[in-house]
Amino acid sequence: MCVESSGIDTYSIREPLGVLIKMLSSYYQHVYQFRNTLVTKFFGVHCVKPTGGQKTRFIVMGNLFHSEYRIHKRFDLKGSSYGRSIDKPEGEIDETTTLKDLDLNFVFHLQRSWHQELIRQVDRDCEFLEAEKIMDYSLLIGLHFRDDYPNDEMSLSPTARSDATQDRNSPRGYQALSAERQYTNWIMEGQS
């Protein structure tokens, strides 16, 4: 099983725009200093206004799940149990369903050094978000089960199957430093 993770923030579009612009300098410093940060990667803030139309602002962010691997399960973890399970019958849950804390039924075994680095980075990221007065954040995790579709195209994401030029070494769909790759594409064991 492969696990990829990233921090996420939840806001309406007006809120993150102001928050992002206000914290841009410290955000840049944090992302630059901590290359393995789990904080969402922001690539741009844009505004378009069609002739005679309404102005629309949008933010371009890194897509955690743009990967050559199919993501079989995804979780939005906040570290809380209050309201942290989905209200869907088992038959309606598919690969696109984002599960919550109480839906997580896996045990992850990490090498000691990976575990220590992960905890250090989560602590750094939480300190950064706290300093920026951002309190609504969570850890987004995607799971790819290697054994479900051995050696066939079904184990690849639709993007990877159609994009022959995709960087096979870049699990997030964009060029990552080799040091970052070490921490963003962990191989872990899970148990139901």
Side-chain angles (χ1 to χ4, degrees), residues 135-150:
M135 60 176 272
D136 184 11
Y137 53 90
S138 56
L139 186 67
L140 184 62
I141 296 179
L143 302 179
H144 167 76
F145 301 107
R146 294 185 298 174
D147 297 335
D148 283 358
Y149 308 100

Side-chain angles (χ1 to χ4, degrees), residues 107-121:
V107 175
F108 300 102
H109 301 278
L110 292 170
Q111 292 178 10
R112 182 179 303 270
S113 62
W114 288 8
H115 177 263
Q116 291 169 342
E117 180 56 29
L118 175 64
I119 297 303
R120 270 194 299 270
Q121 190 59 57

Side-chain angles (χ1 to χ4, degrees), residues 68-72 95 143-144 154-158 161:
E68 67 183 89
Y69 299 104
R70 171 168 262 134
I71 302 300
H72 296 103
E95 293 177 359
L143 302 179
H144 167 76
M154 291 304 291
S155 66
L156 296 177
S157 73
R161 288 194 301 265

